[in-house]
Amino acid sequence: MLRQVIHRGLQSFFYKLGLFVSRHPVFFLTVPAVLTIIFGFSLLNRFQPDTDLESLVAPSHSLAKIERSLASSLFSLDQSKSQLYSDLHTPGRYGRVILLSKPGGNILHQADVILQIHRAVLEMKVNYKGYNYTFSHLCVLRNQDKKCVLDDIISVLEDLRQAALSNKTTARVQVSYPNTKLKDGRSTFIGHQLGGVMEVPNSKDQRVKSARAIQITYYLQTYGSATQDLIGEKWETEFCKLMHKMQLDHQDLQLYSLASFSLWKDFHQTSLLARGKILVSLMLILLTATLSSSMKDCLRSKPFLGLLGVLTICISSVTAAGIFFITDGKYNSTLLGIPFFAMGHGTKGVFELLSGWRRTRENLPFKDRVADAYSDVMVSYTMTSSLYFIAFGMGASPFTNIEAVKVFCQNMCVSILLNYFYIFSFFGSCLVFAGQLEQNRYHSIFCCKIPSAEYLDRKPVWFQTMMNDGHQHTSHHETNPYQHHFIQHFLREHYNEWITNIYVKPFVVILYLIYASFSFMGCLQINDGANIINLLASESPSVSYALIQQKYFSNYSPVIGFYIYEPLEYWNGTVQEDLKTLSQGFNTVSWIEQYYQYLRVGNISATNKSDFISILQSSFLKKPEFQHFKNDIIFSKAGDENNIIASRLYLVARTSENTQREAVELLEKLRPLSLIQSIKFIVFNPTFVFMDHYGLSVTMPVLISGFGILLVLILTFFLVIHPLGNFWLILSVTSIELGVLGLMTLWNVDMDCISILCLIYTLNFAIDHCAPLLYTFVLATEHTRTQCIKNSLQEHGTAILQNVSSFLIGLVPLLFVPSNLTFTLFKCLLLAGSCTLLHCFVILPVFLTFFPPSKKHHKKKKRAKRKEREEIECIEIQENPDHVTAV
């Protein structure tokens, strides 16, 4: 009883709303238009891109950020940038170049050319307010001699050049890999500076025979001042230009350059590349909506309503964007998906209202027809819009740990609200005017009076075709002229009979089993998408650089800083064994290891604290080859006693080409050890900020949204018209969601912020299209399930097919945007639309004929009513025999 009361109450409310809109169409047309103009100007004036890529795509709350703060409080990260090598996520400003020799070549034989390029970088000048700045003015300085921090491979190249000038063979200058000895006696790790290495066979010291690539990084200081940052940005820009010029001058080398702004620039480049394609997409959607709303009947055809429906969604999206920028929002490329998401939901409401209009009786006044359409459609559309708002509202909650996802969901919530408002106001007003034209028998395209049938009969065929209002098709057997709409005609006369054929059903069941199998297989192979190049323009310098870097410099993981943040008895044998155990399997760059070796070689005993620290400070750290280790130890003095309160060392693991996944595994292995070991330490690399629990962070929004929708559907079991409608809806949405998840994994789509947003959207897209179909089926009172599903498809199939076809056709231009982000968006939304279409037109029409709800009780009720009517008629005949005779 409560269900019927709520449903009738909502229908009554929307009937009155439809009447109100139909009586004041100019007001409801003007207000949205004025709002769009106001907020549209704010969109133009306050547009500002977000330049902080880390805050957008890295988990907002992660242990890695806490570890970064702690590590920075102990040792300056600005001074550690050269040691804490990371692939693309190096903090601060820098310029980086990979020099690649031709296939079969040896990059070490071109030391002189590389050093010429290096000198050009050092001498490069940038002008700021009349002052010229070179690298020496901006570089990070070493503590010991206040010289610029440069990669050690430069020293190796200078030694090779000197050997070549003195007529020595390069074999005399022995270069080992990954650790090599420099001229000043230092041992250094060059695993990330020398790539594509071939070693001398059977060489004990891993001497290099040849190498294909060299990577050099130039680190700039970061003081936090705006002036320093601006000069650094100008230097990076000039650096990239210089590398491009050097590439033209040195054709025997391939140069790939990268700067700190390159990632953000190539991330934002997607938006610039996609602008034209989005306009093409809009044109295709307009064309599809216009054609699918047309009929041969010039009176009842509604091409302009299809076009105005799409424009309604466009202006509501412009208004939503204006509100976003007025509230100090900053644009990022992930927001490219919002127009497609909003269009997919908004046009569904447009086409449902059109279908609702076609179901109304023609003999009613146009205002009553609008009210009937609102009463019929807006209840379902309100429910689906509410679920959209709940799903994206949950995605915008504090539980979401990715800022890009949170910003997107906030914008989507505003877009959904404005879509809803604009459809019942702006589009409702358009429907009122179109209804008035139809009632007054005006042509749907030319807006002129349609002539009478007698007048048309005297005109040529082409004129009759253009002015045909369907009068010759309408008869006393056919009360609804809208049945001649080509999609409705196809569904009624052909498709409904075919899909419910008993011989087709086994093949549909087999198709679903195949679909479920592939989906399940894909769900077992899900990969997290912490790799940031998934969000960049595919032909950008950053992606080219990352691919070359992965190919030639992936033998070793990013350098992991191992920070011991509490005083430790380094002289104790047990502690030494624990440190060896922790660093086992790693290539280490460690003052501890070098110091222990120094003591062994010199046969020096340092088994107590005073001797250990005294020899360390007075002898070991004074030697030129070990002086750089001063930066890795923090001493404190209490009276006459010195203590080591903190220290650091660096660990590098041997990896394959999938460096990122293995780096995550290293992080997950080392962290638990810090909790159970007696040595208190943290591990950190700038890359960890992007990878730390990324999989959990990125999947949390879709889990929360899915749980929120599931909870709402379960709690409303006894509030909706029929509980089985919710049950079938939950099963359908789950099937579609898992199908999209599995198939997108098989299509090489990782779980990044774009694919997660698409999964949240898939939940709602499936509900949007399945809910009206299912609720119409469970409420149908026909004799058989087959007849019920035919009626459901006939009632809602046209709107579903119109919307999904417009949605999928609008996605096609995304395929031609050279960007990984838009490829992901295209794949996920294509799967969402295709799986929803498959369920609405193939799987559900067949499965609903097998399973509950049963329609037998409706048959019994009709039979009982017919029997009761027959009995009443017999009684009347017996009581009035004269009446029978008269008849």
Side-chain angles (χ1 to χ4, degrees):
M1 184 63 183
L2 178 61
R3 297 196 295 262
Q4 282 79 5
V5 170
I6 293 174
H7 186 67
R8 287 171 187 163
L10 288 172
Q11 282 188 323
S12 175
F13 169 77
F14 285 113
Y15 182 86
K16 292 176 183 176
L17 177 64
L19 275 179
F20 188 69
V21 172
S22 63
R23 289 168 182 168
H24 307 87
V26 176
F27 173 79
F28 283 101
L29 195 70
T30 307
V31 170
V34 171
L35 287 176
T36 301
I37 293 170
I38 293 170
F39 289 110
F41 278 115
S42 71
L43 168 63
L44 296 174
N45 296 331
R46 300 175 69 96
F47 178 85
Q48 187 178 1
D50 196 334
T51 57
D52 191 351
L53 197 57
E54 180 188 311
S55 68
L56 279 174
V57 299
S60 303
H61 308 288
S62 67
L63 191 55
K65 290 189 175 181
I66 299 172
E67 290 168 342
R68 178 174 64 183
S69 299
L70 182 55
S72 181
S73 66
L74 296 172
F75 301 95
S76 170
L77 289 183
D78 197 47
Q79 297 290 332
S80 312
K81 285 192 291 188
S82 58
Q83 288 89 7
L84 283 174
Y85 169 85
S86 60
D87 297 335
L88 295 174
H89 315 302
T90 302
R93 292 206 172 272
Y94 61 92
R96 184 175 281 174
V97 61
I98 291 177
L99 302 103
L100 183 66
S101 66
K102 290 185 176 180
N106 186 355
I107 195 73
L108 296 177
H109 291 164
Q110 296 174 288
D112 191 47
V113 176
I114 297 170
L115 289 173
Q116 286 178 21
I117 296 172
H118 171 64
R119 281 195 297 273
V121 173
L122 298 183
E123 294 168 1
M124 181 184 70
K125 297 176 182 179
V126 293
N127 187 275
Y128 181 75
K129 292 186 176 180
Y131 293 94
N132 290 325
Y133 294 87
T134 63
F135 178 72
S136 60
H137 296 106
L138 306 171
C139 65
V140 176
L141 302 175
R142 293 188 301 209
N143 286 336
Q144 56 266 33
D145 55 8
K146 299 303 178 185
K147 290 184 179 179
C148 289
V149 172
L150 294 172
D151 286 345
D152 292 323
I153 195 68
I154 300 295
S155 300
V156 173
L157 292 172
E158 287 175 346
D159 292 345
L160 290 171
R161 189 190 62 170
Q162 288 295 330
L165 290 174
S166 58
N167 294 325
K168 295 181 182 179
T169 61
T170 55
R172 293 284 183 87
V173 180
Q174 295 184 359
V175 181
S176 301
Y177 182 84
N179 294 307
T180 191
K181 279 272 187 182
L182 299 180
K183 208 169 188 180
D184 59 4
R186 284 191 298 123
S187 178
T188 185
F189 178 81
I190 58 169
H192 298 124
Q193 299 168 27
L194 198 62
V197 173
M198 289 183 62
E199 297 178 1
V200 175
N202 303 319
S203 173
K204 292 183 179 179
D205 54 357
Q206 297 178 300
R207 278 193 295 131
V208 175
K209 181 181 180 182
S210 65
R212 279 290 311 276
I214 281 178
Q215 181 172 234
I216 305 172
T217 308
Y218 300 91
Y219 298 99
L220 306 184
Q221 291 182 11
T222 308
Y223 292 128
S225 70
T227 303
Q228 177 77 21
D229 191 62
L230 184 60
I231 297 171
E233 184 179 354
K234 289 172 72 71
W235 187 92
E236 288 180 352
T237 304
E238 291 300 319
F239 172 79
C240 292
K241 289 179 181 177
L242 177 65
M243 290 302 107
H244 180 70
K245 179 177 178 295
M246 289 294 175
Q247 176 66 81
L248 300 176
D249 296 341
H250 301 282
Q251 297 294 330
D252 54 336
L253 288 174
Q254 288 179 292
L255 274 67
Y256 299 87
S257 61
L258 184 79
S260 67
F261 66 76
S262 298
L263 289 178
W264 169 80
K265 182 181 176 183
D266 296 336
F267 176 63
H268 188 63
Q269 183 71 13
T270 298
S271 300
L272 303 178
L273 294 171
R275 284 183 302 187
K277 305 300 187 296
I278 288 177
L279 290 176
V280 173
S281 178
L282 176 60
M283 293 299 109
L284 289 175
I285 294 171
L286 285 169
L287 181 63
T288 308
T290 304
L291 292 177
S292 65
S293 302
S294 302
M295 294 173 62
K296 290 182 180 178
D297 188 333
C298 70
L299 177 65
R300 299 170 183 88
S301 178
K302 297 287 183 289
F304 286 126
L305 272 186
L307 186 143
L308 287 169
V310 175
L311 291 179
T312 300
I313 311 306
C314 291
I315 62 174
S316 75
S317 299
V318 170
T319 308
I323 292 172
F324 172 65
F325 288 112
I326 279 179
T327 55
D328 295 327
K330 293 184 179 180
Y331 177 81
N332 67 82
S333 291
T334 59
L335 299 178
L336 272 177
I338 284 185
F340 296 94
F341 286 22
M343 192 67 70
H345 173 60
T347 49
K348 180 60 168 55
V350 167
F351 291 127
E352 282 288 359
L353 269 177
L354 269 175
S355 293
W357 170 267
R358 294 190 187 108
R359 289 192 292 270
T360 58
R361 288 179 295 166
E362 279 197 310
N363 57 355
L364 291 174
F366 70 92
K367 293 182 180 179
D368 291 337
R369 292 184 69 186
V370 171
D372 283 341
Y374 271 56
S375 174
D376 184 22
V377 171
M378 290 304 288
V379 175
S380 173
Y381 189 65
T382 301
M383 187 198 83
T384 54
S385 297
S386 301
L387 290 175
Y388 266 92
F389 189 79
I390 289 169
F392 284 102
M394 297 293 279
S397 68
F399 296 106
T400 300
N401 202 21
I402 305 288
E403 187 64 24
V405 175
K406 190 182 293 186
V407 170
F408 188 100
C409 290
Q410 289 169 353
N411 277 272
M412 198 61 200
C413 287
V414 176
S415 295
I416 293 300
L417 289 175
L418 288 172
N419 265 3
Y420 185 79
F421 170 70
Y422 272 63
I423 282 173
F424 82 72
S425 58
F426 188 87
F427 182 72
S429 300
C430 297
L431 186 62
V432 172
F433 290 123
Q436 190 172 9
L437 289 173
E438 182 179 330
Q439 182 173 298
N440 295 330
R441 296 189 56 79
Y442 278 86
H443 198 287
S444 61
I445 298 177
F446 304 119
C447 298
C448 60
K449 272 280 189 179
I450 297 174
S452 63
E454 293 78 11
Y455 180 83
L456 282 174
D457 291 337
R458 298 195 300 269
K459 292 295 180 180
V461 176
W462 65 268
F463 187 82
Q464 291 181 20
T465 304
M466 290 181 62
M467 292 296 177
N468 173 30
D469 67 344
H471 67 276
Q472 69 268 31
H473 296 295
T474 306
S475 67
H476 63 280
H477 296 294
E478 188 174 16
T479 58
N480 188 1
Y482 290 104
Q483 296 291 336
H484 292 294
H485 188 278
F486 67 96
I487 297 177
Q488 249 181 339
H489 178 78
F490 168 73
L491 291 175
R492 185 182 67 256
E493 300 296 335
H494 304 288
Y495 185 77
N496 289 351
E497 296 296 332
W498 177 79
I499 195 63
T500 54
N501 191 306
I502 193 169
Y503 299 108
V504 173
K505 292 179 182 180
F507 294 100
V508 172
V509 173
I510 293 170
L511 174 66
Y512 184 72
L513 291 175
I514 295 170
Y515 165 84
S517 301
F518 277 96
S519 302
F520 182 72
M521 183 169 62
C523 290
L524 297 177
Q525 303 175 31
I526 295 172
N527 296 321
D528 68 68
N531 196 344
I532 201 170
I533 63 173
N534 291 339
L535 303 174
L536 307 181
S538 54
E539 296 176 2
S540 62
S542 299
V543 172
S544 302
Y545 191 96
L547 293 175
I548 293 297
Q549 190 182 58
Q550 188 176 13
K551 184 175 181 180
Y552 292 104
F553 297 93
S554 60
N555 290 339
Y556 292 93
S557 70
V559 178
I560 301 170
F562 186 94
Y563 296 85
I564 302 168
Y565 58 85
E566 287 187 358
L568 194 66
E569 296 180 355
Y570 297 94
W571 51 91
N572 190 312
T574 306
V575 172
Q576 294 174 15
E577 288 300 321
D578 287 344
L579 286 171
K580 283 183 182 178
T581 303
L582 287 170
S583 60
Q584 191 172 4
F586 290 94
N587 194 303
T588 59
V589 180
S590 165
W591 69 270
I592 301 171
E593 191 177 284
Q594 294 287 330
Y595 184 45
Y596 292 155
Q597 186 177 355
Y598 173 79
L599 293 175
R600 284 196 301 272
V601 170
N603 198 19
I604 303 169
S605 175
T607 55
N608 57 63
K609 178 181 177 180
S610 59
D611 291 344
F612 185 91
I613 295 178
S614 175
I615 296 169
L616 177 66
Q617 288 184 309
S618 61
S619 179
F620 177 76
L621 294 177
K622 297 287 186 183
K623 293 194 171 292
E625 63 268 32
F626 302 127
Q627 280 184 357
H628 60 286
F629 286 129
K630 288 180 180 179
N631 300 325
D632 297 336
I633 309 168
I634 299 177
F635 292 99
S636 71
K637 192 168 186 179
D640 296 331
E641 190 179 49
N642 289 322
N643 294 302
I644 301 175
I645 59 171
S647 70
R648 67 179 173 185
L649 51 118
Y650 302 102
L651 307 177
V652 188
R654 184 85 181 183
T655 57
S656 62
E657 280 195 20
N658 199 348
T659 310
Q660 191 160 25
R661 183 180 298 280
E662 295 180 30
V664 173
E665 292 173 357
L666 286 173
L667 179 61
E668 291 174 350
K669 286 179 182 177
L670 286 170
R671 274 225 185 106
L673 293 177
S674 66
L675 302 175
I676 60 176
Q677 287 283 340
S678 57
I679 300 173
K680 301 300 179 185
F681 68 91
I682 57 171
V683 289
F684 174 72
N685 180 276
T687 310
F688 292 168
V689 172
F690 289 84
M691 297 188 296
D692 191 12
H693 294 297
Y694 185 84
L696 179 61
S697 298
V698 82
T699 53
M700 187 59 70
V702 73
L703 293 175
I704 294 171
S705 299
F707 177 75
I709 289 177
L710 181 64
L711 188 63
V712 170
L713 291 176
I714 291 173
L715 291 177
T716 56
F717 252 65
F718 302 103
L719 295 178
V720 294
I721 304 168
H722 201 297
L724 275 174
N726 273 19
F727 177 75
W728 272 106
L729 189 58
I730 291 170
L731 290 181
S732 303
V733 171
T734 304
S735 176
I736 293 170
E737 183 76 1
L738 293 178
V740 172
L741 177 61
L743 294 174
M744 80 177 194
T745 305
L746 295 179
W747 204 354
N748 299 321
V749 176
D750 295 334
M751 292 287 283
D752 56 23
C753 57
I754 294 297
S755 55
I756 282 299
L757 289 167
C758 291
L759 286 175
I760 296 175
Y761 182 69
T762 301
L763 287 170
N764 297 280
F765 193 78
I767 292 172
D768 222 351
H769 294 78
C770 294
L773 192 71
L774 288 168
Y775 286 128
T776 303
F777 172 80
V778 297
L779 292 175
T781 57
E782 303 301 329
H783 290 179
T784 62
R785 295 192 186 99
T786 301
Q787 192 58 43
C788 290
I789 195 63
K790 285 180 180 179
N791 289 350
S792 300
L793 281 174
Q794 192 171 333
E795 189 169 329
H796 296 287
T798 303
I800 293 172
L801 201 56
Q802 282 177 304
N803 189 53
V804 176
S805 59
S806 301
F807 180 71
L808 294 179
I809 289 171
L811 294 177
V812 173
L814 286 180
L815 193 59
F816 301 97
V817 180
S819 169
N820 296 331
L821 187 150
T822 51
F823 286 160
T824 301
L825 194 65
F826 171 79
K827 290 177 181 179
C828 294
L829 294 183
L830 178 65
L831 288 173
S834 302
C835 290
T836 302
L837 198 65
L838 178 71
H839 279 72
C840 288
F841 283 95
V842 180
I843 294 168
L844 285 177
V846 171
F847 278 60
L848 286 172
T849 59
F850 298 153
F851 301 107
S854 173
K855 299 299 176 182
K856 289 182 180 178
H857 63 284
H858 295 303
K859 191 173 181 180
K860 289 177 181 177
K861 284 181 181 178
K862 286 193 174 183
R863 191 178 298 157
K865 286 180 180 179
R866 188 166 60 248
K867 188 175 180 182
E868 184 181 352
R869 190 164 54 249
E870 288 173 356
E871 288 175 355
I872 292 170
E873 289 173 356
C874 289
I875 292 170
E876 288 177 350
I877 289 170
Q878 289 174 4
E879 292 177 350
N880 300 288
D882 295 337
H883 175 71
V884 177
T885 305
V887 171

